[in-house]
Amino acid sequence: MVDKQILIIYTGGTIGMQKTESGYLPISGFRSVIEEKLHPPAGSVLPEYDLLELEHIIDSANLVPQNWNNIAAAVIDNYEKYDGFIVLHGTDTMAYSASMLSFILSGSDKPVIFTGSQIPLIEPRSDAQENLCNALMIAAYHPVPEVTVFFHGKLFRGNRSTKSKSTGLDAFESPNYPWLGQAGPQIEIHTELVWPEQPKHFSNPEFSKHSVAILPIYPGLDAGLVNSILESSHLDGLIIQSYGVGNLPDQNQQLIDSLRSAAESGCIILNISQCLQAEVFHGHYACSAELNEIGIISGANMTTEAAYTKLIFLLACGLPREDIQIRLSESLVGEVDH
Ligand code: ASP
């Protein structure tokens, strides 16, 4: 077998954390931890890898959009040199980063696998060893040429993944798309589910200029509150997390009027469901019949993470509003079924 060379990009997260008096903190100098703790599973050899530790390692709860530029740059700058990439990332926002990287690295013909752990690599009983070894083996010997998340034995499409458990070791799910592979006694990849090869089109736009908010709908939501957010922050985009198949409280006329006037003044509004297994159909119930006419776009079965990152990616690319609306309604990199 020809030797494969993998780049591991360490961004922080529990995998590289240590307990301190104030709680778990990511520590720099992950190289020595990985050298000491990472061992190949019995009877196998790990592929060759280099480790790149980002300058500012973080608890991923502190992730901001500019971090995506840094992670993407680490992949793009080294793209020709390596056969695949592992991104070590905190679990809290891993699904956001994997979703965003799938848009930035559109058409990648190399694997980019996000992984991390619920227990630090330096601690006994850590799940990091298993996650990282499997991710390395997949990247080198079973490469899936798209951005994925590997966690607790399963490989998910990155932009379909979501963190569903705060402490369980099986912390991730892909509620609206089957997983792409699994690592049991053998590693198996369901190649028919892998996103087909597309022309390579990387774009790593600056993420500083646009504001997008996420609005969960709940009983008793005060339209005045929504209005003040919409008016004071001049949103470029709004993701609504609606009930069921995209339902809004249409008897809350003030809310509907606020959404209508936000849409008229250029805010792009995308409607996704708060259900984990999601599907949005405007007009299935009368209470969502007006939404198409207002100009609200159905996000179909996108996760919150994919919807949010897709919208800010398209805004940051500087596309005209109409183009963004069209792209939101279609699949760019396998993130949605319409
Ligand atoms: N707070 C941590 C992080 O997201 C949680 C984890 O990595 O599991 O960085």
Side-chain angles (χ1 to χ4, degrees):
M1 208 178 295
V2 183
D3 270 358
K4 299 286 180 142
Q5 194 72 28
I6 306 299
L7 181 64
I8 301 178
I9 300 163
Y10 171 55
T11 72
T14 295
I15 193 163
M17 287 194 186
Q18 246 176 32
K19 209 173 201 156
T20 69
E21 274 175 11
S22 47
Y24 281 105
L25 265 183
I27 44 152
S28 52
F30 192 62
R31 181 178 303 278
S32 58
V33 178
I34 211 174
E35 278 167 5
E36 186 195 328
K37 297 281 180 185
L38 190 70
H39 306 294
S44 57
V45 186
L46 287 179
E48 295 284 316
Y49 62 84
D50 288 329
L51 178 73
L52 173 66
E53 181 167 316
L54 293 191
E55 204 176 327
H56 300 292
I57 52 163
I58 55 166
D59 183 311
S60 82
N62 284 313
L63 186 90
V64 291
Q66 289 73 23
N67 293 114
W68 293 323
N69 291 128
N70 300 336
I71 302 171
V75 175
I76 294 168
D77 294 349
N78 291 291
Y79 195 77
E80 297 310 326
K81 226 171 125 197
Y82 292 93
D83 300 294
F85 302 85
I86 310 275
V87 182
L88 299 181
H89 196 289
T91 58
D92 289 343
T93 53
M94 188 185 292
Y96 285 92
S97 293
S99 296
M100 180 54 95
L101 267 282
S102 76
F103 299 118
I104 293 177
L105 301 175
S106 170
S108 170
D109 55 0
K110 297 184 180 181
V112 178
I113 308 179
F114 279 74
T115 193
S117 66
Q118 294 280 51
I119 304 171
L121 180 57
I122 50 165
E123 290 194 0
R125 295 179 44 255
S126 173
D127 52 331
Q129 161 93 6
E130 188 212 312
N131 287 343
L132 181 48
C133 282
N134 279 310
L136 274 167
M137 307 289 265
I138 294 171
Y141 307 128
H142 309 265
V144 171
E146 56 171 293
V147 178
T148 54
V149 166
F150 182 86
F151 221 87
H152 196 64
K154 288 190 183 133
L155 185 72
F156 306 105
R157 175 167 298 154
N159 56 39
R160 297 290 193 145
S161 67
T162 191
K163 183 174 177 180
S164 58
K165 291 186 183 162
S166 56
T167 56
L169 299 187
D170 52 342
F172 285 85
E173 263 182 61
S174 172
N176 297 303
Y177 195 76
W179 63 79
L180 303 179
Q182 69 262 355
Q186 309 291 333
I187 288 174
E188 287 172 64
I189 303 296
H190 309 297
T191 41
E192 72 286 1
L193 296 171
V194 174
W195 186 241
E197 238 180 273
Q198 307 281 314
K200 192 158 127 236
H201 181 70
F202 292 176
S203 90
N204 191 8
E206 230 183 279
F207 288 114
S208 48
K209 296 189 285 293
H210 298 96
S211 61
V212 172
I214 301 177
L215 174 70
I217 302 295
Y218 49 89
L221 172 62
D222 176 6
L225 180 78
V226 176
N227 212 12
S228 63
I229 296 171
L230 286 169
E231 280 184 356
S232 66
S233 41
H234 304 292
L235 291 180
D236 299 297
L238 178 70
I239 314 273
I240 300 176
Q241 290 174 321
S242 57
Y243 301 127
V245 287
N247 306 323
L248 293 190
D250 67 330
Q251 290 182 4
N252 186 338
Q253 196 53 51
Q254 208 195 331
L255 173 69
I256 300 296
D257 289 346
S258 297
L259 295 176
R260 185 186 295 278
S261 81
E264 280 167 4
S265 53
C267 177
I268 297 171
I269 307 180
L270 183 62
N271 183 18
I272 57 170
S273 172
Q274 6 186 297
C275 296
L276 197 55
Q277 278 187 349
E279 204 52 79
V280 166
F281 301 114
H282 287 169
H284 185 74
Y285 291 96
C287 64
S288 67
E290 259 182 306
L291 303 187
N292 284 344
E293 180 254 314
I294 292 174
I296 296 177
I297 302 157
S298 161
N301 63 1
M302 258 187 289
T303 59
T304 299
E305 294 88 335
Y308 175 72
T309 54
K310 184 174 182 178
L311 182 48
I312 59 173
F313 173 76
L314 293 172
L315 285 163
C317 286
L319 298 172
R321 188 169 184 270
E322 295 66 36
D323 286 11
I324 294 179
Q325 284 172 318
I326 292 168
R327 284 177 164 80
L328 285 173
S329 304
E330 51 189 37
S331 164
L332 302 182
V333 280
E335 72 281 6
V336 67
D337 302 295
H338 271 284

